[in-house]
Amino acid sequence: MSTSIYGFTFLFRHITPEKFYVEACDDGADDVLVIDRVSTEVTLSVKKDIPPSAVTRPIFGILGTIHLVAGNYLIVITKKTKIGEFFNHVIWKATDFDVLSYKKTMLHLTDIQLQDNKTFLAMLNHVLNVDGFYFSTTYDLTHTLQRLSNTSPEFQEMSLLERADQRFVWNGHLLRELSAQPEVHRFALPVLHGWKNEVITMHSCSINGKYFDWILISRRSCFRAGVRYYVRGIDSEGHAANFVETEQIVHYNGSRASFVQTRGSIPLFWSQRPNLKYKPLPLINKVANHMDGFQRHFDSQVIIYGKQVIINLVNQKGSEKPLEQAFATMVSSLASGMIRYVAFDFHKECKNMRWDRLSILMDQVAEMQDELRFLKTTQGQPVSGLSGARCSLPESTLFPATLRVVQSLSSEHYLRKLLKMNETQELRTVIGSGVDMWVVKGRKGTSFFKTGKRTQLGLVMDGWNSLIRYYKNNFSDGFRQDSIDLFLGNYSVDELESHSPLSVPRDLKFLALPIIMVVAFSMCIICLLMAGDTWTETLAYVLFWGVASIGTFFIILYNGKDFVDAPRLVQKEKMD
């Protein structure tokens, strides 16, 4: 059997009615992973044991297994796209998957169970169809250069699955059965997932005759992951919602430099539930021990990343003011010399599209950035004089789209410092070529960072995307959150459960009130178009139906939480 620490680069999947066979096709490999479809037992075998009658198809990795109502399912990668290479390692994006049932028939399920299983499969496929799953069979994508440069020989001998940073292994739950058997680890691929399509981008660049490779890796944590409004704040372990670690790597003149930033939800116990309003009111938990969770969060941050500079971009007035005040109070109470806090009221300072005023913020933190420095290595070893210098700029905000612009400006600062050059249009063009990583295409800030100013077209696109976000926040995020919870193992399917969480009956008003509003509004329009015998009669009809439609609208708005698409698998109130 092969003992390499690296994963297999090419596989064949063979299916018989009794077993799945996954054959390693690398040179010299004779390993075959065998999964019994009845007992679910996982064993290792050799190629000669594969039955000739098995149905064969090439695959590129095993994402893992999951248990649904019908039984176990095997998830495999069937298509991949080469993203590029760095440090002689190939990076791949998984683009298509197969979800294979262990069961040969569904006759053992009731009609309700069949429907539930169909819904769970739809949730699973929803996550798989989101662009942004990346992997390498020879390089550990879950760790930064600095973490990899400070490892022991024993760590280097571990398989990619064993040594992976579990915060960023999105298929960790799916691989739990394979993880328990070290002999099959080469078949198990740790997979990264990015935040809204941003994971890895690579460019070979030239500025003023200086040639370098510029790489951005964005790692989205699988702890407390979710959609915008249903997952906020931190949990009892100190994990911040939608935490993302972004590493900029520059390979220049034989050396490698790494600069790391992190971002996540404000590390307090708070929530912001959708309720049909464009911007729901943030609510801070009044009974939770905020300092306990806050300290856990930053203790972890300091251990992993070193000295912290926190940039908070929320409004310092209005509904967000209590969040900013609570955050500042927590930092002051913690009284840690390893943490510095900067509050920047983005909406006040940059209103009327004045995003150029972000230079004020960058001037505020310039000295702090210089203190943090960045990691520089030669042939994998820290350069003398910079050994142990960690560069981390954690940032907490309600608005990650805006935050990405701040991250991109900070990234530009360190790139200029490394290349020892002032800001040039060439440099801005290079950074702008990767802006779809920092500022996702079509979202806030794209036009600013690519052109240095906010454009009218950018404003129109921001408005359009705001409408799309409003619809998703209120009418599709419940399903999306359930899909993430199922995929990450926050919810485990129990086919023996007497009451399915998917069959929650809707209140009568959920259907009745929208119908009444639409009918009343339609009648109001008809009365305006088809006037009665007298203007007083027409006015009476218009007023009646107008008041009915407006009154119904406000009743719906008042009961907004009953009309949004809420998660059904995990009670988020219990997780806050």
Side-chain angles (χ1 to χ4, degrees):
M1 301 291 178
S2 177
T3 58
S4 171
I5 65 171
Y6 299 128
F8 294 116
T9 57
F10 188 68
L11 306 164
F12 272 113
R13 180 211 70 195
H14 310 273
I15 298 179
T16 69
E18 295 80 24
K19 295 178 180 179
F20 295 125
Y21 297 87
V22 181
E23 172 192 358
C25 300
D26 292 12
D27 292 341
D30 193 42
D31 295 1
V32 175
L33 182 74
V34 183
I35 302 176
D36 192 298
R37 299 176 66 176
V38 179
S39 68
T40 71
E41 182 183 10
V42 179
T43 57
L44 269 183
S45 186
V46 292
K47 294 182 180 181
K48 66 181 180 65
D49 293 333
I50 302 174
S53 60
V55 178
T56 302
R57 180 181 177 183
I59 62 172
F60 302 102
I62 297 176
L63 199 66
T65 62
I66 191 169
H67 183 78
L68 302 181
V69 178
N72 282 13
Y73 285 81
L74 174 68
I75 308 171
V76 296
I77 302 171
T78 57
K79 291 182 182 179
K80 64 179 181 179
T81 301
K82 183 177 177 179
I83 299 303
E85 297 184 26
F86 65 87
F87 314 145
N88 298 318
H89 298 282
V90 181
I91 309 301
W92 303 95
K93 178 166 75 170
T95 57
D96 203 6
F97 307 85
D98 265 354
V99 182
L100 308 169
S101 175
Y102 284 34
K103 301 292 184 181
K104 293 173 284 186
T105 177
M106 300 291 175
L107 295 178
H108 61 292
L109 300 180
T110 65
D111 289 343
I112 294 178
Q113 287 177 322
L114 278 171
Q115 184 58 45
D116 284 353
N117 197 70
K118 183 179 179 180
T119 302
F120 285 130
L121 281 173
M123 291 178 180
L124 188 60
N125 282 305
H126 175 81
V127 177
L128 294 175
N129 290 332
V130 174
D131 189 28
F133 287 100
Y134 290 72
F135 66 93
S136 173
T137 58
T138 60
Y139 185 80
D140 186 354
L141 289 172
T142 66
H143 287 288
T144 63
L145 276 184
Q146 185 151 5
R147 290 199 291 268
L148 291 176
S149 69
N150 293 329
T151 57
S152 63
E154 292 78 16
F155 179 89
Q156 298 294 335
E157 293 300 317
M158 294 180 182
S159 68
L160 292 178
L161 180 61
E162 283 180 295
R163 70 187 199 176
D165 189 330
Q166 294 303 310
R167 294 178 300 163
F168 307 119
V169 181
W170 261 65
N171 58 333
H173 170 69
L174 304 180
L175 290 175
R176 65 199 181 286
E177 293 184 5
L178 299 183
S179 299
Q181 298 179 240
E183 67 273 16
V184 303
H185 278 186
R186 289 195 68 192
F187 289 91
L189 281 176
V191 173
L192 247 63
H193 188 243
W195 174 252
K196 300 188 184 298
N197 302 336
E198 54 175 275
V199 184
I200 299 175
T201 186
M202 290 177 272
H203 299 279
S204 293
C205 311
S206 173
I207 300 178
N208 295 339
K210 296 181 178 181
Y211 294 88
F212 60 95
D213 293 324
W214 183 59
I215 304 156
L216 292 175
I217 304 177
S218 186
R219 306 174 177 97
R220 183 185 182 188
S221 175
C222 59
F223 299 142
R224 198 160 176 75
V227 296
R228 184 181 185 191
Y229 283 135
Y230 282 115
V231 183
R232 292 294 209 189
I234 53 174
D235 60 19
S236 58
E237 299 299 317
H239 298 130
N242 293 317
F243 179 88
V244 179
E245 173 191 89
T246 303
E247 180 180 21
Q248 172 183 270
I249 300 173
V250 178
H251 191 191
Y252 170 64
N253 199 25
S255 298
R256 304 169 185 175
S258 169
F259 168 52
V260 179
Q261 301 179 76
T262 66
R263 70 173 185 266
S265 186
I266 289 180
L268 303 170
F269 294 99
W270 64 284
S271 60
Q272 194 175 16
R273 301 282 176 235
N275 57 6
L276 295 183
K277 295 180 181 179
Y278 180 75
K279 193 173 182 181
L281 185 69
L283 297 175
I284 300 177
N285 192 317
K286 296 181 179 179
V287 297
N289 185 347
H290 293 280
M291 180 52 74
D292 180 66
F294 188 87
Q295 184 159 5
R296 285 173 182 264
H297 174 75
F298 279 107
D299 283 350
S300 174
Q301 286 287 100
V302 170
I303 291 172
I304 297 173
Y305 301 105
K307 193 173 183 179
Q308 305 285 289
V309 174
I310 308 167
I311 300 178
N312 187 0
L313 302 179
V314 303
N315 292 351
Q316 296 179 23
K317 63 179 181 179
S319 61
E320 295 168 12
K321 182 178 179 180
L323 277 174
E324 194 282 323
Q325 290 179 328
F327 198 175
T329 300
M330 287 293 159
V331 173
S332 177
S333 300
L334 196 60
S336 171
M338 297 295 289
I339 298 174
R340 299 179 70 174
Y341 177 78
V342 177
F344 183 80
D345 192 333
F346 173 83
H347 287 89
K348 176 185 176 183
E349 298 292 344
C350 302
K351 64 181 179 180
N352 299 324
M353 299 194 299
R354 291 293 309 278
W355 284 35
D356 58 292
R357 289 176 59 81
L358 281 171
S359 60
I360 299 173
L361 171 62
M362 301 315 296
D363 290 341
Q364 281 184 270
V365 300
E367 185 178 340
M368 302 178 197
Q369 286 180 306
D370 291 337
E371 289 177 6
L372 290 173
R373 302 192 293 175
F374 53 85
L375 173 75
K376 186 177 180 183
T377 66
T378 300
Q379 297 181 344
Q381 297 300 319
V383 174
S384 177
L386 286 177
S387 179
R390 298 305 298 261
C391 187
S392 177
L393 184 60
E395 308 178 26
S396 302
T397 180
L398 274 81
F399 304 103
T402 301
L403 181 54
R404 280 186 282 269
V405 178
V406 177
Q407 285 189 289
S408 62
L409 293 173
S410 186
S411 170
E412 182 181 353
H413 171 87
Y414 278 96
L415 187 56
R416 290 202 311 269
K417 187 175 179 181
L418 173 67
L419 299 177
K420 298 179 180 178
M421 63 171 58
N422 296 322
E423 181 176 350
T424 66
Q425 185 56 45
E426 281 185 288
L427 180 60
R428 180 164 285 277
T429 301
V430 168
I431 299 288
S433 65
V435 77
D436 287 344
M437 163 89 167
W438 290 104
V439 189
V440 179
K441 187 175 182 180
R443 293 179 66 88
K444 286 185 178 180
T446 306
S447 61
F448 165 76
F449 197 72
K450 287 187 174 180
T451 65
K453 61 181 180 180
R454 293 278 281 129
T455 64
Q456 293 297 327
L457 178 60
L459 179 63
V460 172
M461 291 305 299
D462 285 349
W464 172 250
N465 284 291
S466 293
L467 288 176
I468 294 175
R469 281 199 304 275
Y470 174 81
Y471 175 83
K472 288 182 177 180
N473 292 342
N474 289 282
F475 305 115
S476 67
D477 272 0
F479 179 84
R480 294 168 62 203
Q481 184 62 55
D482 284 337
S483 302
I484 293 171
D485 285 331
L486 178 67
F487 189 88
L488 295 179
N490 297 331
Y491 175 83
S492 297
V493 175
D494 182 3
E495 66 272 24
L496 300 178
E497 195 171 17
S498 59
H499 179 70
S500 170
L502 299 177
S503 57
V504 178
R506 286 283 194 177
D507 191 282
L508 180 62
K509 65 183 177 184
F510 175 75
L511 293 175
L513 288 177
I515 292 174
I516 292 172
M517 185 182 71
V518 171
V519 169
F521 181 76
S522 301
M523 290 300 297
C524 184
I525 298 299
I526 291 172
C527 289
L528 285 172
L529 297 177
M530 301 177 64
D533 295 334
T534 64
W535 71 269
T536 53
E537 181 183 358
T538 301
L539 180 62
Y541 281 125
V542 170
L543 286 176
F544 175 79
W545 292 115
V547 170
S549 61
I550 293 173
T552 309
F553 170 78
F554 279 105
I555 292 174
I556 292 174
L557 197 62
Y558 180 78
N559 296 278
K561 288 186 177 180
D562 297 330
F563 290 89
V564 299
D565 180 36
R568 290 177 286 179
L569 299 185
V570 178
Q571 295 296 318
K572 288 297 166 185
E573 286 80 1
K574 295 179 181 179
M575 296 179 63
D576 286 337

